[in-house]
């Protein structure tokens, strides 16, 4: 097709919009949509883009780069230290186990030991991009499974530095530079091998030092100008700059970005950078997934389908086995184990980096590279599909089985209240109810928590509350009240919709994370809405005023007045217009407008002066007026 | 020296001129514990144990409050209901407060003239305060006539200051062992000669 950048951009965007919309409509993850879009527009189906996948990947890697930068930002060294046992433990066992087993596997497939070692390194790394995206999309980051996955992925992101450092030691010394890679010349290639390893470590140190003494001072200067877009520019400059430098020395740009993120995580710009890059990240990550899809080389598959298929199955099986054993070591519950097993069983984006690097070092031959690249892309494509099978077929059986296995006591039978979600919000409710002798049936999707709660004698069901069969087994048909205390407003919305249409007798009481969630619930005609931050923020504000010398009892009354007044206002405003779209920039602006409007209303109504009880001043003023007349 | 506990209840202290003058005067007085109920318990959740301990530590209990609708503000009634427990303050073995002195210090919007048989309020302040008097009796406490600042809506600031002065002197006298018999025959403690010299 035409080589115009605009044309390619249109193809990418259109592919994404169509495929992701369809995937979402079918209830599939967006990752799968992107991957399919990539396959469709790629060189082997419609052939809109790319003659060879690698070129596309190269550009699209920016999504991964940004994601790793953002992950890096989230890891303050302090927190990292707190999690070190899980990270080193789970990550270490997983990487070591996978490398060991896959090394023998590839030897069995008759590869040279150096090739087998390189492959096993690549295989040990899962895809942070795919796994995290899926976990976040399902809102499972706070579960045991989510935290374990994050730890393992983090360990991999760090260990890859050492792998890249070690690769030059494996390089074949007999042949020097490969001609077909001269265009991507990097500074390292001409160095002796021992020095290459050293250079890699030096560049890592350089990033750390530059981050502290160059980037942060630069950001401070930029921030002083007060021009917001300059900070966006600076954020992009950091990411692109680090990536470019890393590439210059022949290292993975994603890795450099990750390190850069870690270095900046202690700076005051952490959150600013995070919110600035977030919108770019998701789209570019989508681009990356599309590129992965497009890079599935169907010619290689057609040439040696058995080898590719064999390696694909073996790799996934082997990774799954190691993950399952690792999770067992760390005593995860069965369903969390299975979730972990299937969501990390793919080969990740770093494999592209490792393999290409190994190729440029002459460790791998062209056909070996091609096969492994295809296998990597295929494992990434298969992951979301396995995830769906797991979610729809395997987990429901496990979940239901567990709740049937549990002896149903008499309380469960007469249960009238169901509480969904036992996180920080729900647990407070559950505990408070219990101290009043009211036992609610609890539903939660973290089986470790479920297990703990059962030990504490709570009546608990494990699983996804949006599944009707689970709701039924929890006794929704006889329930009077359903408390939705989950974190994610979208999940609550889904659940509320199901319950409203199937069990209209159940009174819904829902947690609203924000004003906007509250508007949506009100428009769904749910009347009992509990905005989670309302009371606490007012409590805080009143403490401030108390410190300033305002009377506590007056403040207590004002809090109650404010809540009443705000409940009225939210009901009025919910009718006004549709708010709460997910568009980042618009949303921020809308939020400001909204706040302005509210403050203006507060002022007009004079709610602070609204409380005139016991006010001697008023009586005196009225009396004086009388005398004057 | 006897110790005085001033139990103060005013839901809107920040708007009260009369009580500001009175409280300012005695708040940091030696031997006096000023205990602001609405500040301590804005949610009406009274800590009964703390209150009992305070009562035991003092010899003279002052119910200091504005006179609203012929009675005390709701938190003070809540205090009475919660703290003066059966078996502790009254009833069998309920003698924790035995022999302690007690009195009301009140502010009223209406003048002394409207609180009498022929006035708009038909009864005297003392008659309205009967529930306090009997509460004290039941708990075995010695009940003094009230100290009252009346007509607060119209009273001038200088006069309020005089009242504050009197309040201060009154607490001195109580601390120096003034007995109920010393003031019998007076409707208000304001009228005793010791405060008016």
């Amino acid at each position: 097709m035409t080589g115009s950048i605009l044309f390619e951009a249109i193809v990418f965007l259109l592919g994404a919009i169509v495929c992701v919309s369809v995937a979402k409509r079918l209830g599939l993850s967006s990752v799968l949509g992107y991957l399919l879009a990539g396959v469709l527009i790629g060189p082997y189906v419609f052939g809109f883009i790319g003659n060879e996948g690698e070129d596309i990947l190269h550009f699209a890697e920016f999504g991964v780069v940004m994601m790793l930068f953002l992950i890096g930002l989230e890891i303050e060294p302090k927190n990292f230290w707190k999690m070190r046992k899980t990270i080193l433990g789970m990550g270490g066992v997983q990487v070591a186990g996978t490398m060991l087993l896959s090394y023998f596997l590839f030897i069995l497939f008759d590869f040279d030991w150096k090739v087998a070692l390189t492959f096993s390194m690549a295989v040990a790394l899962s895809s942070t991009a795919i796994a995290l995206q899926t976990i976040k999309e399902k809102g499972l980051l706070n579960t045991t499974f989510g935290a374990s996955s994050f730890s393992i992925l983090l360990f991999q992101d760090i260990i890859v530095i050492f792998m890249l450092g070690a690769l030059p030691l494996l390089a074949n010394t007999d042949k020097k530079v490969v001609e077909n890679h001269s265009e991507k010349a990097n500074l390292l290639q001409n160095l002796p091998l021992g020095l290459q390893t050293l250079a890699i470590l030096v560049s890592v140190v350089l990033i750390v030092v530059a981050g502290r003494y160059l980037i942060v001072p630069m950001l401070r200067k930029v921030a002083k100008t007060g021009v917001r877009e300059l900070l966006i520019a600076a954020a992009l400059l950091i990411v692109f700059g680090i990536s470019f430098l890393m590439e210059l020395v022949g290292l993975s740009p994603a890795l450099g970005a990750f390190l850069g993120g870690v270095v900046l995580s202690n700076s005051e710009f952490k959150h600013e950078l995070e919110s600035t890059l977030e919108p770019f990240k998701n789209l570019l990550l989508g681009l990356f997934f599309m590129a992965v899809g497009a890079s599935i080389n169907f010619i290689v598959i057609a040439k040696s389908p058995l080898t590719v298929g064999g390696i694909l199955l073996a790799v996934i099986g082997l990774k799954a086995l190691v993950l399952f054993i690792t999770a067992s070591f760390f005593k995860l519950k069965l369903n969390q184990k299975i979730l972990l097993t299937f969501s990390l069983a793919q080969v990740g984006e770093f494999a592209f980096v490792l393999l290409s690097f190994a190729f440029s070092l002459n460790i791998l031959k062209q056909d070996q590279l091609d096969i492994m690249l295809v296998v990597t892309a295929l494992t990434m494509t298969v992951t979301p599909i396995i995830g769906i099978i797991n979610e729809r077929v395997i987990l429901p059986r496990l979940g239901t089985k567990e709740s049937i296995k549990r002896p149903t006591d008499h309380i469960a039978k007469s249960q009238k209240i169901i509480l969904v979600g036992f996180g920080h919000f729900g647990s407070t409710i559950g505990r408070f109810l219990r101290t009043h002798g009211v036992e609610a049936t609890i539903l939660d999707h973290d089986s470790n928590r479920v297990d703990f709660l059962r030990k504490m004698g709570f009546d608990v069901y494990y699983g996804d509350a949006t599944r009707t069969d689970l709701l039924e087994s929890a006794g929704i048909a006889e329930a009077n009240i359903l408390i939705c205390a989950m974190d994610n407003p979208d999940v609550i919305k889904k659940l509320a919709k199901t319950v409203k249409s199937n069990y209209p007798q159940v009174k819904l009481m829902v947690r609203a994370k924000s004003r906007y969630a509250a508007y949506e619930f009100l428009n769904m005609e749910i009347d009992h809405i509990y905005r989670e931050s309302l009371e606490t923020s007012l409590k805080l504000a009143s403490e401030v005023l108390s410190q300033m010398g305002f009377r506590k009892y007056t403040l207590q009354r004002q809090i109650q007045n404010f809540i009443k007044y705000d409940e009225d206002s939210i009901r009025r405003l919910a009718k006004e217009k549709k708010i709460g779209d997910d568009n980042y920039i618009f949303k921020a602006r809308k939020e400001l407008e909204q706040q302005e409007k509210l403050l203006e209303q507060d002022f007009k109504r004079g709610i602070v002066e609204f409380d005139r009880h016991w006010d001697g001043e008023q009586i005196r003023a009225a009396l004086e007026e009388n005398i004057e007349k | 020296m006897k110790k005085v506990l001033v139990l103060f209840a005013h839901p809107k202290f920040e708007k009260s001129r009369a009580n500001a003058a009175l409280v300012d005067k005695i708040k940091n007085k030696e031997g006096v514990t000023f205990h602001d109920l609405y500040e301590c318990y804005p949610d009406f959740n009274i800590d009964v144990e703390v209150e009992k301990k305070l009562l035991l530590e003092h010899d003279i209990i002052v119910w200091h409050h504005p006179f609203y609708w012929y009675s005390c503000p709701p938190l003070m009634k809540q205090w009475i209901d919660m703290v003066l427990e059966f078996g502790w303050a009254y009833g069998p073995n309920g003698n924790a407060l035995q022999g302690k002195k007690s009195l009301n210090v009140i502010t009223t919007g209406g003048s002394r003239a409207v609180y009498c048989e022929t006035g708009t309020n038909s009864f005297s302040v003392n008659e309205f305060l009967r529930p306090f008097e009997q509460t004290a009796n039941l708990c075995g406490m010695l009940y003094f006539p009230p100290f009252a600042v009346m007509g607060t809506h119209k009273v001038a600031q200088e006069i309020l200051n005089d009242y504050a002065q009197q309040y201060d002197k009154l607490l001195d006298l109580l601390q120096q062992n003034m007995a109920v018999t010393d003031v019998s025959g007076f409707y208000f403690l304001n009228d005793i000669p010791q405060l008016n010299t």
Side-chain angles (χ1 to χ4, degrees), chain A residues 398-473:
Chain A
L398 284 177
T400 327
K401 209 166 90 199
E402 267 191 52
S403 55
I404 288 168
K405 209 165 57 187
R406 183 189 48 82
T408 42
D409 46 315
H410 65 284
I411 306 167
K413 285 280 160 216
S414 62
Q415 207 49 257
K416 296 289 186 235
I417 298 171
I418 298 175
L419 168 60
V420 186
F422 211 74
H424 81 268
F425 193 84
S427 63
T428 314
I429 302 171
R431 282 167 45 212
F432 194 71
L433 290 180
R434 188 180 233 207
T435 54
H436 288 79
V438 177
E439 295 273 350
T441 300
I442 297 161
L443 263 85
D444 198 282
H445 63 34
D446 183 338
S447 62
N448 279 31
R449 196 148 62 200
V450 165
D451 205 56
F452 169 74
L453 288 172
R454 281 191 189 150
K455 264 189 218 143
M456 302 298 294
F458 281 99
D459 188 19
V460 190
Y461 289 77
Y462 158 76
D464 175 9
T466 53
R467 263 176 36 219
T468 324
D469 56 329
L470 189 70
L471 275 177
E472 262 162 19
S473 68

Side-chain angles (χ1 to χ4, degrees), chain A residues 550-554 556 609 611-617 619-620 623, chain B residues 10-15 17 36 38-39 42-44 68 152-154:
Chain A
F550 281 83
R551 296 272 297 165
K552 284 209 176 97
Y553 179 65
T554 302
Q556 168 89 0
E609 282 299 308
D611 182 19
R612 295 209 179 277
H613 288 280
W614 300 297
D615 195 337
E617 258 173 34
I619 300 176
R620 273 199 300 281
L623 285 173
Chain B
H10 197 315
K12 209 151 212 182
F13 185 31
E14 65 268 49
K15 297 268 183 178
R17 273 192 320 154
D36 185 344
Y38 274 96
E39 188 65 5
D43 48 4
F44 276 52
Y68 287 149
T152 54
H153 294 326
K154 289 174 183 167

Side-chain angles (χ1 to χ4, degrees), chain A residues 215-390:
Chain A
I215 299 180
V216 172
M218 177 194 90
L219 281 174
R220 285 201 187 111
K221 286 239 163 66
V222 171
K224 258 193 203 141
T225 62
V227 185
R228 214 190 117 75
E229 56 268 33
L230 276 192
L231 217 60
I232 301 179
L236 290 174
L237 178 67
I238 294 168
V239 176
F240 292 166
I242 294 176
S243 307
F244 176 72
L245 286 176
M246 287 307 259
E247 228 165 50
L248 207 63
V249 294
L251 274 180
S252 152
L255 204 63
F258 172 70
L259 276 174
V262 175
V263 173
L264 290 179
S265 67
N266 264 339
S267 80
E268 66 267 40
F269 298 103
K270 176 182 171 177
H271 297 293
E272 186 70 38
L273 292 174
E274 239 168 34
S275 57
T276 305
L277 292 179
E278 189 72 37
F280 292 100
K281 182 201 82 178
N282 284 334
L283 202 56
L284 286 175
L285 213 52
L287 181 60
F288 172 74
F289 293 137
M290 281 195 278
V292 169
S295 70
I296 297 177
N297 190 332
F298 289 96
I299 295 168
V300 174
I301 299 177
K303 227 193 280 171
S304 43
L306 281 182
T307 321
V308 172
I311 295 179
L312 177 70
L313 286 179
V315 162
I316 290 184
L318 183 146
K319 287 205 76 164
L321 181 70
V322 173
L323 283 163
F324 191 81
I325 293 170
T326 309
S328 307
F329 258 164
F330 288 83
K331 303 202 169 63
L332 262 66
K333 287 280 149 304
L334 184 61
N335 72 304
Q336 305 276 310
K337 248 191 298 201
I338 289 173
L339 270 173
L340 185 77
T341 302
F342 289 129
S343 39
L344 295 189
Q346 74 295 103
V347 183
E349 53 278 355
F350 275 124
F352 293 124
V353 177
L354 271 174
L355 294 168
S356 313
F357 188 44
F359 179 61
S360 71
L361 288 171
N362 270 331
I363 304 170
L364 302 180
K365 294 196 196 75
Q366 183 72 52
D367 60 324
Q368 291 168 332
L369 176 74
D370 285 346
I371 285 185
M372 268 319 271
L373 285 181
V374 167
V375 167
T376 303
L378 282 178
T379 57
M380 284 166 93
T381 314
V382 167
T383 310
I385 300 171
I386 298 179
I388 291 163
I389 297 172
N390 183 28

Side-chain angles (χ1 to χ4, degrees), chain A residues 51-311:
Chain A
N51 298 319
E52 49 174 305
E54 211 200 332
D55 269 340
I56 311 164
L57 257 178
H58 197 68
F59 170 65
E61 226 188 314
F62 272 123
V64 181
V65 166
M66 280 202 187
M67 187 190 59
L68 277 163
F69 182 72
L70 290 173
I71 291 177
L73 269 184
E74 265 175 57
I75 308 167
E76 285 172 47
K78 216 172 38 228
N79 294 341
F80 183 80
W81 189 245
K82 251 186 259 161
M83 285 174 71
R84 68 189 185 279
K85 276 191 189 141
T86 355
I87 297 172
L88 282 182
M90 294 195 95
V93 171
Q94 188 273 139
V95 169
T98 313
M99 274 187 70
L100 194 73
L101 285 186
S102 52
Y103 178 74
F104 288 117
L105 175 83
F106 287 116
I107 292 285
L108 217 74
F109 269 98
D110 217 19
F111 286 107
D112 174 60
W113 74 270
K114 281 180 180 174
V115 176
L117 189 58
T118 311
F119 280 2
S120 69
M121 282 183 197
V123 166
L125 307 173
S126 310
S127 171
T128 312
I130 288 194
L132 267 196
Q133 184 78 2
T134 321
I135 291 169
K136 278 199 178 154
E137 224 166 81
K138 289 189 189 142
L140 293 175
L141 204 58
N142 288 325
T143 61
T144 325
F145 146 68
S148 311
S149 309
F150 190 72
S151 300
I152 292 179
L153 292 167
L154 206 55
F155 181 81
Q156 295 177 349
D157 293 341
I158 296 166
I159 203 74
V160 74
I161 301 173
F162 297 97
M163 290 182 175
L164 284 169
L167 269 184
L169 300 177
L170 291 177
N172 291 324
T173 36
D174 43 337
K175 283 177 245 165
K176 280 277 161 176
V177 184
V178 189
E179 318 73 55
N180 61 344
H181 269 67
S182 53
E183 26 129 2
K184 268 213 258 161
N186 62 57
L187 300 177
L188 287 192
Q189 265 171 351
N190 301 323
L191 288 177
L193 289 178
L195 278 184
Q196 285 194 19
T197 306
L198 188 71
I200 287 169
L201 294 177
V202 167
S203 44
V204 168
V205 173
L206 264 179
I207 288 184
V208 175
V209 175
R212 183 150 300 171
Y213 298 104
L214 200 75
I215 299 180
V216 172
M218 177 194 90
L219 281 174
R220 285 201 187 111
K221 286 239 163 66
V222 171
K224 258 193 203 141
T225 62
V227 185
R228 214 190 117 75
E229 56 268 33
L230 276 192
L231 217 60
I232 301 179
L236 290 174
L237 178 67
I238 294 168
V239 176
F240 292 166
I242 294 176
S243 307
F244 176 72
L245 286 176
M246 287 307 259
E247 228 165 50
L248 207 63
V249 294
L251 274 180
S252 152
L255 204 63
F258 172 70
L259 276 174
V262 175
V263 173
L264 290 179
S265 67
N266 264 339
S267 80
E268 66 267 40
F269 298 103
K270 176 182 171 177
H271 297 293
E272 186 70 38
L273 292 174
E274 239 168 34
S275 57
T276 305
L277 292 179
E278 189 72 37
F280 292 100
K281 182 201 82 178
N282 284 334
L283 202 56
L284 286 175
L285 213 52
L287 181 60
F288 172 74
F289 293 137
M290 281 195 278
V292 169
S295 70
I296 297 177
N297 190 332
F298 289 96
I299 295 168
V300 174
I301 299 177
K303 227 193 280 171
S304 43
L306 281 182
T307 321
V308 172
I311 295 179

